[in-house]
Amino acid sequence: MHVILGGLDRSEGVFFLLLLDTFGQSALLTAWPGAIVCTLQLVMGPVANAFCSRYSVRTGVLLGGCLMSLALLLNCFATNIYFLFFSHALLGGVGRGLVYAPGLIIVGMYFDKRVGLASGLGTSGVGIGTFLLVPLVQVMAQGYGFIGTFLLIGGFSANTLVAGMLFRPLSLHHKFTRAHKRKSQDDGHKSATTKTIRNKDFDAVCELTEGKNLKARTCQCMTSSFSICFPIETSSKSSNDKKKLFHFYLLKEPPFLLFCISIWLFAMAFRTAFTFMPALIKSKGIPEPEAAMALSVAGIVDTVGRVLAGFLLDTSLLRPFRPYLYNLVIFALAGIAFLLPSLSGIVPYCAACGVYGLLSGAYISQKSVILKDILDPGHMANSFGILIVFQGLGNLLGPPFAGAMKDNLGGYDEAFYLGGGLLLMSGLLMSISNVMLAVGRRQGKHKQKH
């Protein structure tokens, strides 16, 4: 799932150039559909979380995958840039949002120990998708044009449905293990006139006797198949807990609020970088295929950053310093953003994009782990939904703002200077959050002593 979503997400820079050539509109207007789709993918977090709680992770991914593929196919019928605000942005954003959140939720459902490493491994597909899909979209754009590119990529994204069928809700996993255990006990005790069908995902037993009506059996089979594709998660939570879908009261905690604003500023810079990176490299006289290659390098190193960060930050030596190391990553990214406009040649750009991908992969994959250092672990799911809303708002504002700067100033360099400044502000806010956390912990220890 992360391979497909991550590849589409990082291909928005190539899509931007394709839309710019197809419709000939300003950089500001052309950047909006890509900004909105990436924003909705994240802002849908609390809604998708509530949907998965009411139904299941599998249901969310299957529904979202259908909407996402449909949106990309509808892009083929666009006669102007404004049609893409409905198809690519609105419909695609809702679809991606329903797919994205379950992929993060299910890791938290299945893992208690080594959750940092599990998150890093799980989201490493983003880097693989960037490495594979960005150059593929570039080749499609050159060989098949606007319509052919979205037709092919729409079909490819339907593989999300395959991923969705492999998302087994935890309650169904427990039922399957119980059914498997019972099946082994019941072998040898089957009736000669009764056939027992056990479903791998359900603790459901259908008894079909020899004289049953064919129509009744067909109806029963269809009902069972629908329940497999769209299961409903059962939970031990009380009805009062289920009614609380949104938990914005958590923003009253100053360290968490500062972390959310820090993520918002980071997202503005990050989305701007990956939207305008191909355009920046192209503006330096480097051909488009090589510009796409720099993003592929960033993608594959992104995978390494996610897994490595998950492994290192889970060690007992570094775990106490996670928030501070996380903070240093933001300042390092700011330095690279300031450096990018001054480079020339594809090799320096590949090297810089590689370091940027390594650090940004580490940063993004561990944000849910850092939440455990800021808030009580019991607030993990609810706080994460709020956090990615802020991240989505950053995705919304970053590219159009940078596009407006390009339209007025004539180049893409200023967009990366803007990104560097936003990252510096993000790092400073995170520093304040860390100081407040440290002071709060010392005061808590002092109260315990007295």
Side-chain angles (χ1 to χ4, degrees):
M1 183 277 290
H2 279 293
V3 168
I4 297 169
L5 264 191
L8 286 175
D9 191 50
R10 303 292 173 83
S11 296
E12 288 298 334
V14 181
F15 291 151
F16 172 79
L17 290 175
L18 183 61
L19 299 181
L20 208 59
D21 293 338
T22 303
F23 299 111
Q25 298 291 335
S26 67
L28 170 60
L29 184 60
T30 307
W32 270 113
I36 294 173
V37 69
C38 295
T39 299
L40 281 177
Q41 175 180 319
L42 296 168
V43 172
M44 280 286 294
V47 178
N49 189 17
F51 186 88
C52 292
S53 297
R54 174 62 182 84
Y55 297 99
S56 68
V57 287
R58 179 180 293 171
T59 303
V61 174
L62 292 181
L63 178 59
C66 290
L67 292 175
M68 186 174 71
S69 297
L70 177 63
L72 291 165
L73 294 174
L74 284 176
N75 288 351
C76 302
F77 299 96
T79 55
N80 55 60
I81 192 72
Y82 299 101
F83 183 84
L84 296 176
F85 279 78
F86 163 72
S87 60
H88 190 72
L90 181 60
L91 194 62
V94 172
R96 291 193 201 183
L98 288 173
V99 172
Y100 177 70
L104 302 171
I105 292 168
I106 200 167
V107 174
M109 290 170 62
Y110 271 84
F111 291 91
D112 292 319
K113 298 178 181 178
R114 308 302 297 275
V115 67
L117 181 58
S119 298
L121 287 169
T123 60
S124 64
V126 172
I128 298 171
T130 305
F131 178 73
L132 296 176
L133 206 58
V134 172
L136 183 61
V137 171
Q138 180 64 50
V139 170
M140 290 178 184
Q142 292 183 329
Y144 299 102
F146 173 80
I147 294 177
T149 298
F150 281 108
L151 188 65
L152 290 168
I153 207 69
F156 172 76
S157 67
N159 286 290
T160 310
L161 304 179
V162 179
M165 288 305 298
L166 298 175
F167 275 43
R168 177 180 290 154
L170 193 60
S171 63
L172 296 186
H173 176 73
H174 292 322
K175 289 181 180 180
F176 167 59
T177 54
R178 288 197 299 269
H180 181 74
K181 194 176 294 183
R182 194 177 302 129
K183 182 178 182 296
S184 61
Q185 294 172 353
D186 291 346
D187 283 345
H189 298 285
K190 293 180 180 179
S191 171
T193 59
T194 303
K195 297 176 183 178
T196 302
I197 299 176
R198 289 186 182 274
N199 187 284
K200 289 185 177 181
D201 274 339
F202 273 93
D203 186 19
V205 179
C206 304
E207 293 188 351
L208 305 177
T209 56
E210 294 297 333
K212 275 197 172 180
N213 188 296
L214 178 62
K215 183 178 180 181
R217 280 185 285 172
T218 303
C219 181
Q220 195 171 28
C221 184
M222 290 176 63
T223 303
S224 178
S225 298
F226 186 82
S227 299
I228 294 168
C229 293
F230 303 101
I232 296 178
E233 178 74 276
T234 58
S235 174
S236 60
K237 292 181 179 179
S238 66
S239 58
N240 290 333
D241 290 335
K242 289 183 177 180
K243 289 178 182 178
K244 294 180 180 178
L245 299 180
F246 306 105
H247 300 257
F248 293 109
Y249 64 86
L250 294 173
L251 292 173
K252 294 179 181 179
E253 296 289 335
F256 176 60
L257 177 60
L258 289 171
F259 184 45
C260 288
I261 299 173
S262 174
I263 285 283
W264 174 38
L265 297 174
F266 166 83
M268 286 183 67
F270 177 79
R271 179 54 49 196
T272 296
F274 275 92
T275 299
F276 293 110
M277 189 79 74
L280 173 72
I281 299 174
K282 184 182 176 183
S283 70
K284 305 298 180 181
I286 300 171
E288 278 188 40
E290 294 185 12
M293 184 176 69
L295 280 186
S296 293
V297 171
I300 199 63
V301 181
D302 176 291
T303 300
V304 177
R306 289 169 187 261
V307 178
L308 188 63
F311 175 76
L312 291 176
L313 296 182
D314 263 344
T315 61
S316 57
L317 180 65
L318 297 179
R319 193 180 299 121
F321 306 102
R322 275 193 303 214
Y324 310 108
L325 295 171
Y326 196 75
N327 207 160
L328 289 175
V329 168
I330 308 177
F331 289 120
L333 286 168
I336 298 170
F338 284 123
L339 178 66
L340 282 169
S342 62
L343 298 178
S344 59
I346 189 60
V347 174
Y349 270 111
C350 283
C353 287
V355 178
Y356 195 93
L358 180 76
L359 296 174
S360 60
Y363 183 91
I364 294 171
S365 68
Q366 297 303 302
K367 63 179 182 286
S368 59
V369 180
I370 297 300
L371 279 177
K372 288 190 172 183
D373 298 323
I374 296 175
L375 293 173
D376 185 276
H379 294 304
M380 172 66 189
N382 301 319
S383 61
F384 187 77
I386 296 171
L387 185 68
I388 61 175
V389 168
F390 277 83
Q391 186 179 342
L393 293 174
N395 285 348
L396 177 67
L397 298 175
F401 190 28
M405 291 182 67
K406 189 271 174 187
D407 291 335
N408 289 297
L409 301 175
Y412 292 99
D413 292 7
E414 291 77 12
F416 286 86
Y417 295 137
L418 169 68
L422 291 171
L423 287 168
L424 277 179
M425 292 172 61
S426 173
L428 289 172
L429 288 175
M430 184 70 188
S431 299
I432 297 171
S433 174
N434 287 333
V435 169
M436 294 180 73
L437 278 174
V439 171
R441 285 170 184 162
R442 285 181 183 177
Q443 290 176 346
K445 289 180 180 179
H446 182 72
K447 287 180 181 179
Q448 286 178 356
K449 288 180 180 179
H450 296 279

